[in-house]
Every structure is written in C-alpha cells, then in structure tokens.
C-alpha cells in the first residue's frame, strides 16, 4: 500500500505482555520481516520496562537507584548494544527515537522535567541522559550508516511548548536530526493547530519533522486515545465524522499536510 517504514517500540525488560512483548528478540524478528519488504526501520527506545508516555516514564528496574553518572553510563551502553544488535541482525536502524513522548523528560525521577511556571526543573539530569543515549546510538552505528536521531514530544498541536523544549535542548548542545511529534486531534486540537506547530518547528530549526504516532477512530471503540464507555468521544472530532470514511479522509488530509510543509521537510506519518 505504499508504506515504506515501520516504527518499532523497544522496552528494556518487559513482562506480562505474552509473545507480543516489544523486547529485543521480538523486534529483531519484525525487523527482518520489514527489511524483506523493503521497509526502513525507526526504532523507538523507551528506556523503561513498561509503556511510556508524557505521564509515565519509569526507570527500568535493573537501573533503579543509580546516581546520574552511573545511569548515564548504563543508558549509553544499552543504546549502543541495541543498535549493534540490529546491525548484526542484518537490519540496521535508519532512525532511532531517544525516548517516547519526552515532553516531561524520561527515566524518572532522575531525568524528569516538571512544569513550574516558566521553569521545568532538572534540565541537567534530562540533558545528561539524552546526550548519553545519543552518544550510544551514534557509537553503535557503522560510520557510513549511523541512524538519524529523533526526539519525540506529544506536543503536536502546541507550538509554544514544542518550541520551548527544542529551543532549550538545542541551546544545551543536544544534537539531534529529526523532530518527532505525537498528535491526537481530540486531545490537541484540529489539523490547523498541528500545521502551525510543525511549520514553526521547521522554520525555527530547519530539521525534518515526522509524526511519530497518531490515530483516528472509525467508531466508538476503545484503543483510540481517551475513549471509554462513560467518557465517549464528541459526536465528531474536528472536521471529521467518526466512521471508516471519516477515518480515511482524516488520514489522507494528514499525509497531505506533512507533504506540504516548507522546504519538503515533512518526512511522513506513522499510524
């Protein structure tokens, strides 16, 4: 259907999720299938034993309690070993996301960011761990094929917060290649808000942008964001019916939006 890349989530030591756990062995198997189909691989390193988001970023149990210098070493060694494992598998990673939805940092509590007016607090821990992870990713890749580094926040409709985070990281010398955004229209506003956010990021930093995760419901079903039987979606989400037709229309418009960004810096969409 024209899909040319797969996004693989990787947890450090997941448990309780059966045969579908996003661990290294499972990811390498899927990576082999993807490469056979001619697809590139975006590896999303979540640095946790359980699913992460901007509201949950627990440190892996094996690293719990480590002081910042030791935790940074653990992060770097782990990241390098994972990137090398994919290369040894014959499925080198094209792009690696350092963390998932890191709007509030990652590897809590050491790398946690907490809003307090204009101050997020503890930038030092967050930046130190990001730089360690990025160094590991670059060290793990072959000199001629090192993966691009993506940083991902769930600020797809909030250009003010997105610019604040990436401004700070750039000023701190955190080197990255791709700006990733997670976006849900019923949580973060209409596509116009997403367009404004992505356009601002492209113009400010001159880097490619990718929609790292997004989805749209075809009916009132669980598994799409915040829907529950007691808290249903609105009758319509911004401009689109909650139906298979509305879902398809939304996705076409989303892909068109990415393709129309300045300087052709919209890389694409992961569903």
């Amino acid at each position: 259907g024209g899909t040319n890349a797969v996004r693989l989530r990787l947890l450090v030591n997941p448990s309780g999720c059966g045969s579908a756990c996003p661990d290294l062995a499972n990811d390498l198997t899927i990576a082999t299938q993807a490469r056979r189909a001619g697809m590139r691989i975006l590896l999303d390193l979540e640095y946790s034993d359980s699913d992460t988001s901007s509201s949950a970023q627990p440190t892996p149990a094996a690293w719990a309690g480590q002081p910042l210098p030791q935790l940074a070493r653990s992060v770097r060694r782990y990241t390098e070993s994972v990137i090398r494992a994919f290369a040894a598998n014959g499925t080198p990673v094209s792009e690696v996301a350092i963390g998932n939805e890191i709007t509030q940092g990652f590897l809590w509590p050491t790398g946690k960011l907490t809003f307090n007016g204009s101050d997020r607090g503890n930038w030092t821990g967050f930046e130190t761990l990001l730089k360690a992870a990025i160094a590991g990713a670059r060290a793990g890749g072959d000199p001629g094929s090192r993966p691009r580094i993506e940083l991902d926040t769930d600020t797809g409709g909030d250009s003010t917060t997105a610019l604040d985070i990436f401004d700070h990281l750039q000023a701190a010398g955190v080197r990255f290649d791709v700006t990733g955004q997670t976006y849900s229209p019923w949580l973060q506003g209409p596509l116009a808000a997403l367009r404004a956010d992505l356009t601002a990021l492209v113009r400010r930093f001159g880097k490619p942008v990718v929609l790292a995760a997004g989805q749209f419901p075809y009916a009132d079903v669980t598994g799409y964001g915040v829907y529950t039987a007691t808290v249903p979606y609105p009758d319509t989400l911004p401009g689109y019916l909650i139906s298979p037709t509305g879902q398809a229309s939304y996705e076409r418009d989303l892909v068109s939006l990415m393709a129309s960004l300045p300087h052709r810096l919209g890389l694409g969409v992961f569903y």
Side-chain angles (χ1 to χ4, degrees), residues 11-237:
L11 301 179
V12 176
N13 187 27
S15 62
C17 46
S19 61
C21 274
D23 59 15
L24 184 58
N26 191 59
D27 276 12
L28 292 176
T29 297
I30 299 173
T32 298
Q33 296 169 343
R35 285 298 292 238
R36 285 174 181 165
M39 300 170 73
R40 299 190 305 276
I41 297 165
L42 164 60
L43 180 63
D44 178 20
L45 296 173
E46 299 204 22
Y47 298 100
S48 181
D49 294 336
S50 57
D51 294 346
T52 62
S53 68
S54 62
S55 59
Q57 297 279 349
T59 294
W63 306 344
Q66 292 183 356
L68 178 58
Q70 182 182 1
L71 183 57
R73 289 192 295 271
S74 296
V75 166
R76 174 168 178 154
R77 286 195 296 264
Y78 167 77
T79 306
E80 181 175 350
S81 70
V82 166
I83 299 301
R84 290 192 185 281
F86 273 84
N89 189 54
T91 55
V93 173
S94 300
E95 191 170 312
V96 57
I98 304 299
N100 174 60
E101 298 186 4
I102 56 173
T103 311
Q104 302 286 355
F106 71 150
L107 289 157
W108 291 355
T110 308
K112 185 173 185 178
L113 297 179
T114 304
F115 281 111
N116 182 16
S118 61
D119 179 21
R120 287 174 172 269
N122 197 29
W123 281 103
T124 299
F126 179 43
E127 292 162 1
T128 298
L129 295 172
L130 270 182
K131 289 178 180 179
I134 291 168
R138 296 194 190 283
D142 294 330
S145 59
R146 290 193 174 103
R148 293 194 294 186
I149 304 299
E150 178 200 319
L151 300 182
D152 163 45
T153 63
D154 62 338
T155 52
D158 182 358
S159 60
T160 299
T161 301
L163 291 172
D164 171 53
I165 294 171
F166 287 102
D167 273 342
H168 198 112
L169 294 177
Q170 181 168 270
V174 177
R175 296 172 52 226
F176 61 97
D177 306 304
V178 178
T179 303
Q181 296 283 273
T182 299
Y183 170 74
S184 297
W186 56 93
L187 298 177
Q188 295 163 299
L191 285 175
L194 176 65
R195 180 185 294 277
D197 172 48
L198 298 180
T199 300
L201 288 168
V202 165
R203 288 177 174 166
R204 179 74 62 89
F205 303 107
K207 297 179 185 294
V209 295
V210 64
L211 198 67
Q215 56 188 358
F216 189 95
Y218 64 88
D220 283 343
V221 293
T222 58
Y224 289 86
V226 297
Y227 176 84
T228 68
T230 56
V231 185
Y233 298 123
D235 290 338
T236 61
L237 296 177

